[in-house]
Amino acid sequence: MSSSAVTHRRVFRRTDDYTPGTPKIKLVQETLQLPLAPTSVLIKVHAVALNYRDANIANGGNPWPITPNGILCNDAAGEIIAIGNKVKSLVVGDRVGPITDTENISGRETKRSWLAADEDGVMADHIIFDERVLCKLPTYLDWVDASIIPCAGVTAWSALKGMSIGQTVLIQGTGGVSFFALKLARAAGLRVILTSSSDAKLEQIKEKFPHQPILTVNYSKTPDWDQEVMQLTGGTGVDIVVENGGTGSLVKSLNCTRRGGVVSQVGYLGKQDPADLRELIPTIIDRRISLRGINAGSKFDMEDLCAALEAAQTPLNDLIDKVFSFEEAEDAVEYVWQGKQIGKIVLRL
């Protein structure tokens, strides 16, 4: 085993106190589980990115089981500082990040296990993972930019699979996955329609990306936003939707998708009410739409995304909204919970 002098780590664990105004995470020091297993590696974390999912879990809103007092976050970028004696695919010094679903290697696996939910996440200064769930990160990116790839990046990449140059994508919201999807869609030559409840956020994004004009819809001011999207597409509908809202927006997303199009369900940001889905089945059948659930993506997906980013040397710094220090993690979680961000929130270590 390649050795390291590190024996302890600083880590934020959830308090599991969902009372408004109380701390949601607590900084503790823990002994690392050493020596390393034969195929495991020790990673020094340089940056951790937050998703809405993390703030939702911290505030008791996750719809799936979670381990008590677990560690938040599944987006991280770090440097390998020690390896087990049977590690074959990685070496000390490699820049890596773990996949979000550690059972999802090829996409054919029948099980799943989510970081920050049924196993610990990555909000720590050191983490240990088996080499099979790690991917090498692009070498041209700094740590902050690279940290947004494993969850937000791979989710956006998976949600856009199958798109062709010149097609139209509807992207909901201005959070991390949506912003990454916007970046990938524009790079792939897609026409983008972006929705938000904030005119200010929409204007900021249009100013940030002045070339290849982005069409926008304020769904708060336009309750029938699906009809507005239909008008923007000449009555045809979009080819694909990156669907973030859940039950409250899903049927409208289907309504403004062209017949034979695709809706990629990546999140559940809105209030979830099954009564909103009364028209789900007839709408799917009538419009011949493929509705697919996106749980980030597989290790193969992450490798493909990293290869594409490396080949094009695509900058990601314009997707970062704000960088907090590691010690400011509580503030960062609250910032995301309040929906203040336009893009990604990252902790720098």
Side-chain angles (χ1 to χ4, degrees):
M1 181 191 84
S2 175
S3 62
S4 169
V6 178
T7 59
H8 293 76
R9 69 175 181 176
R10 294 184 304 152
V11 55
F12 279 100
R13 288 194 173 273
R14 300 191 324 269
T15 61
D16 290 344
D17 181 351
Y18 306 134
T19 307
T22 59
K24 301 300 176 241
I25 52 177
K26 180 180 179 181
L27 182 62
V28 297
Q29 181 165 296
E30 298 178 347
T31 302
L32 286 166
Q33 295 182 352
L34 300 172
L36 290 172
T39 58
S40 291
V41 306
L42 174 60
I43 302 163
K44 180 180 180 180
V45 178
H46 289 281
V48 175
L50 278 73
N51 296 286
Y52 169 78
R53 172 178 179 264
D54 300 308
N56 195 38
I57 290 174
N59 284 274
N62 197 57
W64 296 281
I66 56 175
T67 58
N69 304 115
I71 302 171
L72 286 180
C73 296
N74 41 31
D75 263 344
E79 171 188 4
I80 294 177
I81 60 173
I83 62 174
N85 59 15
K86 292 188 177 181
V87 171
K88 296 179 179 180
S89 60
L90 300 167
V91 298
V92 171
D94 277 346
R95 298 156 50 91
V96 296
I99 58 177
T100 297
D101 179 350
T102 56
E103 293 288 346
N104 192 5
I105 305 299
S106 69
R108 294 185 175 184
E109 290 75 15
T110 59
K111 295 180 180 179
R112 63 96 167 152
S113 184
W114 290 352
L115 294 184
D118 45 3
E119 59 179 298
D120 279 336
V122 297
M123 192 182 276
D125 59 5
H126 291 83
I127 52 178
I128 295 174
F129 282 98
D130 190 274
E131 66 173 326
R132 66 184 286 274
V133 304
L134 295 170
C135 289
K136 293 181 182 180
L137 296 169
T139 57
Y140 72 95
L141 294 173
D142 69 18
W143 293 114
V144 167
D145 296 348
S147 72
I148 71 177
I149 290 174
C151 183
V154 177
T155 299
W157 174 267
S158 301
L160 294 174
K161 272 187 177 181
M163 290 291 285
S164 301
I165 293 173
Q167 289 187 322
T168 302
V169 57
L170 171 64
I171 300 174
Q172 296 177 347
T174 56
V177 172
S178 298
F179 222 38
F180 214 122
L182 171 63
K183 181 83 172 186
L184 294 176
R186 287 164 56 84
L190 307 180
R191 185 187 188 209
V192 175
I193 300 176
L194 182 68
T195 69
S196 173
S197 62
S198 168
D199 283 337
K201 287 185 176 181
L202 292 174
E203 285 304 314
Q204 287 181 53
I205 290 174
K206 288 164 72 173
E207 291 174 5
K208 198 168 191 176
F209 300 103
H211 305 294
Q212 295 174 268
I214 299 169
L215 301 175
T216 60
V217 178
N218 185 320
Y219 62 81
S220 180
K221 289 184 175 180
T222 310
D224 294 329
W225 54 265
D226 51 335
Q227 298 307 308
E228 177 72 11
V229 172
M230 289 297 287
Q231 291 182 20
L232 292 174
T233 57
T236 300
V238 300
D239 297 281
I240 191 167
V241 179
V242 180
E243 225 293 333
N244 245 324
T247 62
S249 57
L250 178 54
V251 173
K252 287 188 176 182
S253 292
L254 298 170
N255 282 335
C256 61
T257 302
R258 69 165 173 83
R259 281 184 163 79
V262 175
V263 173
S264 293
Q265 189 72 54
V266 302
Y268 46 93
L269 298 182
K271 183 179 179 181
Q272 304 305 299
D273 184 354
D276 293 328
L277 300 178
R278 289 185 297 269
E279 301 299 318
L280 174 64
I281 299 303
T283 306
I284 284 181
I285 293 172
D286 177 60
R287 301 191 68 80
R288 305 191 303 274
I289 293 171
S290 296
L291 173 60
R292 60 187 185 187
I294 304 295
N295 169 19
S298 68
K299 179 178 180 178
F300 291 1
D301 289 326
M302 184 167 168
E303 290 175 340
D304 288 345
L305 170 58
C306 288
L309 292 172
E310 189 81 65
Q313 299 285 290
T314 305
L316 300 180
N317 59 302
D318 51 1
L319 302 184
I320 308 300
D321 177 277
K322 188 172 182 179
V323 178
F324 290 80
S325 69
F326 183 65
E327 291 73 20
E328 295 174 310
E330 177 74 35
D331 294 335
V333 171
E334 182 62 22
Y335 191 89
V336 174
W337 182 238
Q338 292 182 16
K340 293 182 178 180
Q341 74 278 13
I342 301 178
K344 293 296 296 180
I345 302 303
V346 180
L347 305 179
R348 193 201 313 267
L349 285 78

